[in-house]
Amino acid sequence: MQGQATSDGAGVKLVRVLTQDLQHRLDPFLMLDAFGTDNPGDYIGGFPDHPHRGFETVTYMLEGRMRHRDSAGNQGLLVPGSVQWMTAGRGVIHSEMPEQEDGRMEGFQLWLNLPARDKMCAPWYRDIGTAEIPEWQGDGVLARVIAGHSHGVTALVQRETTQVLYLDLHLEPGARFEQPLPTEHNAFVYVYRGDLAVGAGEQTVRPQRMAILANTPGSDGVVLKAGADGARAILIAGRPLKEPIVQHGPFVMNTRHEIIQAVDDFRAGRLA
Ligand code: MN
């Protein structure tokens, strides 16, 4: 499956890998954007001040530097290999701006839904430095554990309700990686370098493509195998919330009424 080329913020070019029509199939994940460019014109505008309510954003940088500032007074600098985890909860207004005028900018932003009871929680924010992300090393495999746990390695961030797993996988040529996954969890793999064979049928997934993993009875994990040039991919999985999803731009709630309230609160300056 291929993402949609789009732009967001002040004209930042990106590929929307997880689009709105996949929100139910990939519940609790609402969106995944991949950005990767050597052309400053594609990113220099950044994402000026904008609001969020009702979910979490997880930004993972591969290359480049991005400065974050929000209405709660937090600020941080994303550098290669680091993560910013932001729980918008009842609301933040923030900006995400490049802190470079040339060079490569590459990474991902995942939107993770919050359960209904947590949507109006106090905002929370954490920068996770490159050295703070634990890694598991296997035969020809490096797994950076951004959320959840894998092969006995536990990430800094755990989510009790959605049990999110977020791995960045670096596979040498021909290397194999297995990850058990609970049957009912929704999961997908996005390949960003090389070719990766996914599952028993060894369907080959090419770079800039996403594979949605089966969640049918008997699906209890995934086996990945890198092609001749090795591969790099992110593997993301979580337990579905099975709650109504109503999205209006940067607000994701359970009902239309809550969306109207979010827009009203934003316009009245009550969001931040
Ligand atoms: Mn944002």
Side-chain angles (χ1 to χ4, degrees), residues 47-48 50-52 57 86 94-96 109 111 250:
F47 301 89
H50 59 278
H52 293 289
T57 66
M86 186 189 78
H94 76 160
S95 61
E96 301 155 289
Q109 187 171 86
W111 287 16

Side-chain angles (χ1 to χ4, degrees), residues 16 74 89 116 139 144 257 266 268:
R16 188 140 296 163
N74 298 307
D139 192 9
R144 310 195 76 219
H257 176 79
F266 175 53

Side-chain angles (χ1 to χ4, degrees), residues 206-225:
R206 303 205 172 279
Q208 280 80 56
R209 295 289 191 281
M210 171 174 66
I212 295 175
L213 305 182
N215 57 357
T216 45
S219 307
D220 58 359
V222 65
V223 180
L224 305 171
K225 195 175 166 220

Side-chain angles (χ1 to χ4, degrees), residues 183-204:
T183 300
E184 70 277 14
H185 287 201
N186 289 326
F188 63 97
V189 176
Y190 179 76
V191 179
Y192 63 93
R193 300 267 196 289
D195 292 336
L196 190 65
V198 177
E202 300 222 336
Q203 187 196 349
T204 297

